[in-house]
RNA sequence: GGCGGCGUAGCUCAGUUGGUUAGAGCAUGCGGCUCAUAUCCGCAGUGUCGCAGGUUCGACUCCUGCCGCCGCCA
């Protein structure tokens, strides 16, 4: 089986600026993508994100700024792209649903699906919420026919529309989810999805009349209609790679190994609607739905109205690169809701980044300068050495493999825990061997050289393993150690050789003093 | 209303198929070191493991009921 992997974030609906929640999803997917590149080779991984730019909410957001929809989404899509770039995400594809190539692809899929026979036209009368852009049944509404999501009255609309047969595929989809052929993780969301598939499903309305909304992709077989925004947006996962590789090759290769990263709010669309859309087009399903929770802010839901939303790049500029990424990966259990607060971020910063990682780097490089003139005099004692040496070597041995396995399971917090256990082992090793005491006796300098060689190797392995989680920091430490990429990836004890020069320390994470509140 | 989850040290949480004195990190207190970003190392804790029953030689871990919080579906 091919080990090609296609990784996606959700396609972000860009009617508002990206916030820390959007950043969290992009960061989790990016950590995963980087980890998979290390595991399978960069050539075997593609990573896709982008913006969802059609639909009524976009049209109205544009109107509110007195912009044409396209001008508005040009601006918003660039904003998302720049924020994610500022967070050092490594997308191979940035898809806009208004890209000409994407629009053409959606039309091809509509034609293809129509020819296969699962699209039909019928008149429909229903209660419609313009904010949700969907029809409701009376049972779903609050008294007075009020939309439960937006707390405003729905409208009675009567119109003809195109529908996609969904229930026809329900059994097939349920079986694939049950058997984990389409695996939903964590498993609690699998159960929720199966629950949703237990009852018959209404067919999906996939068109909107232009008389009501013309900001969309025209239905190729009826120019009075545009495609429903969700139908359009799903195909963003496929359109760009299909254009680059050819649809057939993409479908035969990476697509069945797709890893969708999505929030729990869009589980239903991805577990219930997306699979039938693919099956109706005669295409295979993705492999994994990786569902994450909400990022709460100080205990309450992060939202624009509560004023607790910050530009994700604020944290890059104030705390430095990688800090936000480290915090959300270390603190949040993937799949569960997490709590984000600046106070907690500063605690983590000081305890983990300044005191553990930064200070270890600093003390090891400082001793190497002071006692060895900056150049190693010995090999690491991975295979031999005394008890202390062996304890350190054991902590580093296989670290990269453990971290890679944990990242593959989306257990990012545990992966970082494992790395920090190695950092602890290195700090204990310094205390146990006390090279600063030995260095006072010139006869013991060879041992000091061996100890520092072990510590430099430990730092190298840790910095290398840290790359998916803290790419900038990883690069900084490897640069301080003066090692090239090939050396960086070596197992513990097989990297840096005697004679190798390392650089003097710099403070990677200056301690943040708590503001003295009077 | 149906289905499911959660409730463990001050805080955030681990606790595998039930088994000896219930763990980690942070925060707190004491001791040590001094290479280092006043950093690091060691020691000390404290917990009726939501409540009440039940099964068992033995339950945080299984069963029942209740309380509280939450999610999904209707």
């Amino acid at each position: 089986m091919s080990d090609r992997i296609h990784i996606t974030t959700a396609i972000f609906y860009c009617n508002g600026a990206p916030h820390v929640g959007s950043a969290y999803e992009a960061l989790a997917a990016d950590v995963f993508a980087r980890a998979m590149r290390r595991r399978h080779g960069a050539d075997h991984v593609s990573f896709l994100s982008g913006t969802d730019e059609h639909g009524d909410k976009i049209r109205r957001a544009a109107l509110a700024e007195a912009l044409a929809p396209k001008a508005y989404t040009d601006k918003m899509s660039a904003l998302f792209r720049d924020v994610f770039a500022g967070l050092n995400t490594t997308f191979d594809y940035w898809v806009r649903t208004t890209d000409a190539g994407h629009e053409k692809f959606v039309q091809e899929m509509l034609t293809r699906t129509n020819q296969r026979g699962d699209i039909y036209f019928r008149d429909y009368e229903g209660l419609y919420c313009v904010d949700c852009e969907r029809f409701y049944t009376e049972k779903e509404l609050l008294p007075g026919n009020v939309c439960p999501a937006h707390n405003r009255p729905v409208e009675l609309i009567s119109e003809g529309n195109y529908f996609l047969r969904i229930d026809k595929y329900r059994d097939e989809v349920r079986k694939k989810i049950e058997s984990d052929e389409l695996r939903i993780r964590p498993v609690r969301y699998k159960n929720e999805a199966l629950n949703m598939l237990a009852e018959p499903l209404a067919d999906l309305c996939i068109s909107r009349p232009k008389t009501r909304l013309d900001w969309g992709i025209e239905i190729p077989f009826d120019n009075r209609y545009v495609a429903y925004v969700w139908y359009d947006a799903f195909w963003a996962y496929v359109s760009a790679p299909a254009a680059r590789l050819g649809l057939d090759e993409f479908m035969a290769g990476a697509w069945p190994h797709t890893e969708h990263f999505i929030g729990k709010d869009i589980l239903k669309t991805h577990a219930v609607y997306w699979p039938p859309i693919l099956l109706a087009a005669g295409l295979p399903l993705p492999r994994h739905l990786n569902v994450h929770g909400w990022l709460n802010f100080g205990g309450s839901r992060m939202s624009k109205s509560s004023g607790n939303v910050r530009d994700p790049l604020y944290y890059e500029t104030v705390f430095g690169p990688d800090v936000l990424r480290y915090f959300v990966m270390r603190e949040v259990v993937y799949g569960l809701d997490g709590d984000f607060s600046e106070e907690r971020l500063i605690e983590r910063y000081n305890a983990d980044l300044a005191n553990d990682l930064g200070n270890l780097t600093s003390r090891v490089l400082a001793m190497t300068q002071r006692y060895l003139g900056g150049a190693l005099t010995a090999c690491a004692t991975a295979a031999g050495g005394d008890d202390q040496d062996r304890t350190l070597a054991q902590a580093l041995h296989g670290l990269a493999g453990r971290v890679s396995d944990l990242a593959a399971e989306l257990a990012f917090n545990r992966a970082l825990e494992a790395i920090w256990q190695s950092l602890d082992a290195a700090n204990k090793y310094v205390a146990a061997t006390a090279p600063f005491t030995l260095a006072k006796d010139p006869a013991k300098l060879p041992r000091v050289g061996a100890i520092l060689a072990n510590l430099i190797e430990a730092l190298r392995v840790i910095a290398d393993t840290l790359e998916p989680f803290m790419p900038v920091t990883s690069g900084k430490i490897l640069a301080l150690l003066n090692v090239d990429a090939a050396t960086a990836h070596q197992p513990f004890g097989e990297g840096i050789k005697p004679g190798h020069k390392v650089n003097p320390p710099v403070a990677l994470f200056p301690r943040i003093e708590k503001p003295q509140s009077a």
Side-chain angles (χ1 to χ4, degrees):
Chain A
M1 211 57 210
S2 163
D3 58 357
R4 286 178 179 278
I5 301 175
H6 184 54
I7 298 162
T8 77
T9 69
I11 305 303
F12 296 93
Y13 201 71
C14 58
N15 63 335
H19 48 78
V20 177
S22 341
Y24 170 63
E25 178 170 308
L27 288 173
D30 187 65
V31 168
F32 186 79
R34 288 172 181 268
M36 290 305 103
R37 289 192 188 105
R38 295 166 67 83
R39 199 178 171 90
H40 300 289
D43 294 349
H44 291 271
V45 174
S46 60
F47 184 22
L48 180 149
S49 185
T51 42
D52 180 5
E53 306 183 14
H54 289 124
D56 200 45
K57 274 183 285 190
I58 294 280
R59 190 187 58 79
R60 282 186 290 149
L63 213 59
E65 295 191 21
L67 288 173
K70 178 63 172 162
Y72 175 78
T73 61
D74 283 349
K75 186 183 80 171
M76 296 306 288
S77 183
L79 180 63
F80 271 77
R81 192 196 55 214
D82 292 347
V83 165
F84 293 145
L87 296 170
N88 299 301
T89 54
T90 51
F91 304 134
D92 300 302
Y93 297 98
W94 180 255
V95 181
R96 300 183 56 189
T97 58
T98 56
D99 287 340
H102 174 79
E103 296 191 341
K104 181 165 160 287
F105 184 81
V106 171
Q107 291 181 326
E108 284 169 15
M109 290 303 109
L110 280 165
T111 299
R112 180 182 172 121
T113 306
N114 192 37
Q115 284 167 353
R116 293 174 63 91
D118 284 327
I119 291 175
Y120 64 93
F121 185 88
R122 71 174 154 96
D123 288 319
Y124 185 81
E125 184 179 86
L127 299 161
Y128 187 83
C129 173
V130 288
D131 290 297
C132 303
E133 299 186 59
R134 57 162 283 200
F135 286 98
Y136 278 95
T137 61
E138 278 189 50
K139 282 202 299 184
E140 292 175 303
L141 295 168
L142 302 174
N145 286 347
V146 170
C147 164
H150 294 91
N151 204 31
R152 55 187 282 176
V154 296
E155 298 165 29
L156 182 67
I157 288 180
S158 177
E159 62 190 28
N161 264 313
Y162 288 92
F163 288 81
L164 179 70
R165 292 185 221 281
I166 292 289
D167 201 59
K168 173 181 176 181
Y169 296 101
R170 182 164 63 92
D171 211 44
E172 182 177 353
V173 172
R174 203 180 60 215
K175 280 177 182 152
K176 284 179 190 286
I177 291 175
E178 237 158 27
S179 68
D180 283 341
E181 190 180 330
L182 169 56
R183 185 174 166 203
I184 300 177
R185 51 186 182 176
V187 71
R188 51 185 301 224
Y189 292 116
K190 170 183 174 179
N191 294 333
E192 285 189 9
L194 288 172
N195 205 5
M196 295 170 193
L197 289 162
E199 302 289 326
L201 299 166
D203 287 338
L204 181 68
C205 179
I206 57 164
S207 65
R208 294 291 183 268
K210 283 186 185 172
T211 50
R212 185 146 59 77
L213 170 70
D214 64 359
W215 180 236
I217 298 174
E218 188 174 286
I219 302 278
F221 40 84
D222 190 336
N223 63 14
R224 299 171 302 162
Y225 289 88
V226 296
Y228 173 44
V229 61
W230 263 110
Y231 183 89
D232 160 5
F234 276 129
W235 290 111
Y237 294 140
V238 181
S239 58
R244 190 176 295 179
L245 306 168
L247 180 62
D248 291 344
E249 188 183 331
F250 181 50
M251 285 295 145
W255 176 253
H257 306 272
T258 289
E259 303 275 351
H260 286 314
F261 283 76
I262 59 171
K264 63 182 181 180
D265 54 322
I266 55 174
L267 170 64
K268 184 172 188 174
T269 53
H270 283 73
V272 175
Y273 295 121
W274 180 218
I277 289 172
L278 284 161
L279 293 172
L283 299 174
L285 301 189
R287 175 86 183 89
H288 280 152
L289 299 183
N290 301 316
V291 186
H292 62 80
W294 297 120
L295 210 52
N296 295 317
F297 197 107
S300 66
R301 173 83 188 276
M302 195 171 299
S303 71
K304 286 160 201 168
S305 55
S306 60
N308 53 17
V309 180
R310 268 197 208 273
D311 176 357
L313 293 182
Y314 165 85
Y315 300 97
E316 298 291 303
T317 50
V318 171
F319 298 101
D322 294 344
V323 174
L324 178 66
R325 182 187 281 252
Y326 172 78
F327 179 78
V328 294
M329 290 300 108
R330 176 66 185 79
E331 191 84 354
V332 179
V333 178
Y334 191 87
L336 302 181
D337 289 359
D339 204 47
F340 182 91
S341 79
E342 229 166 280
E343 196 183 344
R344 192 97 181 112
L345 182 136
I346 290 172
E347 277 175 24
R348 281 277 177 205
Y349 177 100
N350 280 335
D352 299 353
L353 301 181
N355 294 353
D356 291 342
L357 179 60
N359 183 58
L360 177 72
T361 305
S362 181
R363 69 197 303 210
V364 168
L365 291 177
M367 284 190 281
T368 307
Q369 290 304 317
R370 188 191 286 210
Y371 306 137
L372 307 180
L376 293 205
T377 56
C379 280
T381 53
D386 62 16
D387 283 354
Q388 275 125 9
D389 299 341
R390 277 193 295 276
T391 302
L392 179 68
Q394 274 166 18
L396 272 302
H397 180 72
L399 176 66
R402 289 197 299 280
V403 168
S404 175
D405 289 347
L406 288 166
E409 292 169 24
L410 311 175
F412 306 122
N413 60 327
R414 293 176 59 201
L416 283 167
E417 245 176 69
I419 295 174
W420 255 254
Q421 279 170 11
S422 298
L423 281 171
D424 282 349
N427 269 324
K428 285 179 170 64
Y429 179 75
V430 175
T433 56
F436 42 84
T437 303
L438 300 180
K440 290 170 185 164
D441 179 355
K444 290 176 178 163
L445 269 182
R447 175 58 182 155
V448 172
I451 289 167
L452 288 172
N454 284 329
L455 285 165
I456 295 279
E457 274 291 272
L459 269 183
R460 178 186 61 74
V461 170
I462 286 166
D464 178 53
T465 309
L466 205 49
E467 184 272 336
F469 305 90
M470 306 191 77
V472 176
T473 303
S474 171
K476 280 183 187 171
I477 296 175
L478 293 172
L480 286 171
L481 297 178
N482 193 27
V483 298
D484 55 32
T487 307
H489 294 325
Q490 294 301 312
F492 180 74
E494 295 171 33
I496 295 172
K497 298 289 186 286
H500 183 89
K501 273 191 84 74
V502 299
N503 292 307
V506 297
L508 293 169
F509 299 100
R511 215 183 142 74
I512 299 170
E513 295 309 325
K514 278 187 186 152
Q516 297 295 322
S517 50

